[in-house]
Amino acid sequence: VQADGTDGDCVTFVLHDEDHTLGNSLRYMVMKNPDVEFCGYCITHPSESKINFRIQTRGALPAVEPFRKGLNDLMGVCQHVLNTFE
């Protein structure tokens, strides 16, 4: 993961070898945080397997914090689904 951005509250993360499966799920989890003002992603080109994932917070915390929390929450949801399935 690469993070591009000058401000700590507005960062674009570049996720390599990922697509809409992770992008949309992670966007949903991050947007549940009330400190996040904007969260979105785009796939740069269909032949590239990377997404640009942008988070902008209201300034109270750096953008990397809701990114980490969103990933951890998503892993928890996936683990719950896996345990329920098994």
Side-chain angles (χ1 to χ4, degrees):
V1 175
Q2 297 172 341
D4 297 326
T6 56
D7 297 337
D9 62 341
C10 186
V11 178
T12 299
F13 300 93
V14 180
L15 304 164
H16 297 276
D17 298 323
E18 296 299 340
D19 58 11
H20 291 289
T21 304
L22 178 67
N24 198 32
S25 302
L26 184 57
R27 182 197 57 80
Y28 174 78
M29 297 305 277
V30 170
M31 281 303 295
K32 290 171 62 174
N33 188 331
D35 293 324
V36 174
E37 187 172 26
F38 172 81
C39 180
Y41 75 96
C42 68
I43 295 183
T44 55
H45 191 273
S47 66
E48 294 181 10
S49 60
K50 69 176 183 177
I51 61 175
N52 291 335
F53 194 87
R54 186 166 187 85
I55 298 175
Q56 181 175 346
T57 63
R58 301 188 191 284
L61 74 158
V64 71
E65 294 302 318
F67 182 69
R68 283 188 184 130
K69 183 177 181 339
L71 286 171
N72 287 331
D73 292 349
L74 186 57
M75 286 191 327
V77 167
C78 290
Q79 189 61 50
H80 173 72
V81 169
L82 182 63
N83 291 342
T84 303
F85 178 75
E86 291 175 342

